[in-house]
Structures are given as structure tokens and as C-alpha cells.
Amino acid sequence: MAQKKNEASAAEEKELPLVDESVPFGSFVNTFWDQYEQSQERAERVRENREEAYINALKEVIKFNKQYRNSIAKLYDQSKKTNKEMTTELLDQINSRKEAMKESAVTNNDREDLKAQLKEVTGQLEKLALTPIKSFLYVVDQLEDNIEKSAEASVAYARERRNAWVQVRKDYVKLARNTHLNFLERGKNSFRELVKTP
């Protein structure tokens, strides 16, 4: 009788399909976790590319602003030079007319003194007028430089902080992968035992 039971259970074992060893459960789990790690790395690369693009855009805007201010300063210098040439030409025309008329009571020395005083006064007025503008442009330049340095430092700090946690994340992923594989192996072994039981 015992022999019949053993033969019957052997026949049942043959009839019941055991867990197919050809199904690569471990490779499914490994593929899942590999894809997770790849997606994390891809997200990190995208984040770093976005940060680099932000820094580059900021640098380009600052560079453009400096070039714009320089072009305005050159335009101002050019207009000042043109005005000076026109003033000099006008004064020369006036002096030539007065010399031709010789009716003026003012002598040439007085004219030259007057001309020098006029140039000095206009130079001082120009310096007074330009001082607030130059100060403002200096402050703007400093502000832009500080913004650029601050943005670069912020991005560097964020990357450093993320990199500090990368190893921890990798360890957790490794632990989760091993736990998942162990869980799968236990489930497979339990199923085998369940199938073997009469």
C-alpha cells in the first residue's frame, strides 16, 4: 500500500507542472532594477544639462548687457567728439569774423582765456553729469557679476549635495534588488514545496 502511495504521488508530481526553471525570474528583477538605475542616471544628466544651460544663458545675457552698455558709452563718446568738433569749428568761425571786423574791444589773449575757461567749465559740468551715470553702470556691472557668481555657486552646491546622496541611493537600490531577488527565490522555493506536498 505504501508502495502504491509513493507511485501515486510520483505520478502526480509528473502530472503537475513544476516551476519552469527556464523562466528567468532573476533576469526580470535585474532588468527592472537596471532600468531604474538607468532612468536615475538619465534624470541626473538631464538635470545637469539644464543647470549648464541656465548658467550659459545667464552668462550670455550678462555679456550682451555689457556689450550694450559699452556700445551706448561709445555712442556717447562719439557724439561728444562730434559736438566738440562742431563747437571748435563754430568758435573758429566766430573768431575769424571778429578778426576781420576788428571792432571788438576784447583782445586775442582775452578770447583765448575765455575759450580756455569755457572748455574748463564744460569739462567740469560734463564730469558732474557723468558721475551718477558712471556710478550706476558700475553698480550694475557689480550686480551682474555677483548674480553670475551666485548662480554658479548655487549650482555647484546643489550638485555637491546630490553627489553626496548618490552612493546612499545606490546602496538602497542594491539592497532593494537583493531583497527582491531573495523574495522571488523564497516564493519559487515555497511553490516547489507546495507542489511537492501530496
Side-chain angles (χ1 to χ4, degrees):
M1 176 105 170
Q3 196 174 21
K4 285 185 182 180
K5 280 187 179 180
N6 285 341
E7 287 176 10
S9 59
E12 285 178 10
E13 280 183 21
K14 288 180 183 175
E15 290 175 14
L16 292 175
L18 292 176
V19 175
D20 190 10
E21 293 296 325
S22 66
V23 176
F25 287 109
S27 68
F28 169 76
V29 171
N30 285 329
T31 302
F32 171 78
W33 287 106
D34 287 343
Q35 287 179 352
Y36 174 78
E37 288 177 333
Q38 288 173 357
S39 69
Q40 287 292 322
E41 290 171 3
R42 222 178 0 258
E44 185 65 29
R45 281 194 306 269
V46 166
R47 186 180 302 120
E48 286 181 4
N49 289 341
R50 191 174 54 230
E51 290 169 345
E52 287 296 324
Y54 168 71
I55 294 293
N56 290 338
L58 187 65
K59 285 181 179 181
E60 288 298 318
V61 167
I62 289 172
K63 182 180 173 184
F64 173 77
N65 287 343
K66 286 181 180 182
Q67 289 174 347
Y68 180 72
R69 283 192 299 275
N70 286 338
S71 66
I72 288 178
K74 287 178 183 176
L75 181 64
Y76 173 76
D77 286 339
Q78 184 65 36
S79 67
K80 183 173 95 173
K81 182 180 174 185
T82 304
N83 287 342
K84 193 175 201 179
E85 289 173 359
M86 287 175 57
T87 305
T88 305
E89 189 177 316
L90 184 63
L91 286 176
D92 287 342
Q93 287 177 3
I94 291 173
N95 285 336
S96 66
R97 283 186 187 165
K98 284 190 178 185
E99 284 178 11
M101 296 169 107
K102 291 205 179 189
E103 293 179 16
S104 173
V106 182
T107 64
N108 279 340
N109 289 338
D110 290 339
R111 280 188 209 135
E112 293 300 321
D113 289 341
L114 183 61
K115 210 190 286 188
Q117 287 176 357
L118 183 61
K119 284 183 182 181
E120 184 180 335
V121 168
T122 55
Q124 293 298 326
L125 286 174
E126 185 178 322
K127 284 181 184 177
L128 283 173
L130 287 179
T131 300
I133 295 171
K134 285 182 179 178
S135 298
F136 175 74
L137 293 177
Y138 175 76
V139 168
V140 169
D141 281 340
Q142 292 300 314
L143 181 66
E144 284 180 340
D145 290 342
N146 288 340
I147 287 172
E148 181 178 352
K149 288 175 186 174
S150 173
E152 287 174 347
S154 174
V155 167
Y157 175 74
R159 284 182 181 170
E160 185 178 309
R161 192 183 67 219
R162 280 194 311 267
N163 288 337
W165 285 98
V166 165
Q167 189 57 42
V168 173
R169 179 179 51 86
K170 286 183 179 182
D171 289 343
Y172 275 118
V173 167
K174 185 178 177 183
L175 248 155
R177 179 192 303 248
N178 289 339
T179 303
H180 200 170
L181 286 170
N182 288 340
F183 178 75
L184 186 64
E185 189 63 32
R186 279 194 214 153
K188 198 164 50 169
N189 291 340
S190 297
F191 186 70
R192 280 186 191 154
E193 291 300 319
L194 181 67
V195 169
K196 284 183 184 179
T197 2

